[in-house]
Amino acid sequence: MNRFAKEKKSHSLARQLLTGAAVFAGSAALLLYGTREISHTADTEQARSLQTALTRSAVQCYATEGSYPESLDYLCEHYGITWDTKKYVVDYEILGSNLMPTITVIPLT
């Protein structure tokens, strides 16, 4: 046998196409999974950012005015807080004018 001669491969065209399709499908599935994870992480960070902004604004109100905001509307109107009401629900419970309110951000999706 000649060691420099190339061996003929017995792969059929159908097998090569199936292998290529399987690799493509696997890559697409990994890409889709990664995209969903990134989207979920971004949504979580947005909710955390909204929670932080609301808390900081309430503390700023207390430092400036001497009492915590009496309502979430007051906080939004005077301290410029806005959010997408289709994505998040904010629960704002007042405990007293000199006690920090309980602020909870609930994602809808």
Side-chain angles (χ1 to χ4, degrees):
M1 178 180 244
N2 184 357
R3 68 180 186 175
F4 297 108
K6 293 184 179 179
E7 293 182 27
K8 292 184 178 181
K9 296 183 180 181
S10 61
H11 296 303
S12 68
L13 180 61
R15 183 178 223 182
Q16 290 176 351
L17 288 175
L18 285 175
T19 302
V23 169
F24 177 76
S27 299
L30 286 174
L31 181 65
L32 181 62
Y33 175 75
T35 303
R36 284 185 181 170
E37 284 300 310
I38 289 171
S39 177
H40 177 70
T41 302
D43 289 342
T44 303
E45 285 300 315
Q46 284 179 350
R48 192 180 334 219
S49 177
L50 177 58
Q51 175 86 30
T52 302
L54 289 165
T55 302
R56 285 183 180 173
S57 295
V59 170
Q60 182 181 1
C61 179
Y62 183 78
T64 305
E65 300 176 19
S67 63
Y68 287 103
E70 66 269 0
S71 69
L72 188 58
D73 292 333
Y74 182 87
L75 192 64
C76 294
E77 184 178 326
H78 291 91
Y79 291 89
I81 299 293
T82 60
W83 68 90
D84 187 356
T85 56
K86 294 177 184 174
K87 287 181 79 174
Y88 304 104
V89 172
V90 177
D91 181 42
Y92 186 83
E93 293 183 38
I94 302 165
L95 304 173
S97 64
N98 62 343
L99 296 174
M100 178 72 178
T102 303
I103 303 170
T104 307
V105 176
I106 303 166
L108 294 176
T109 55

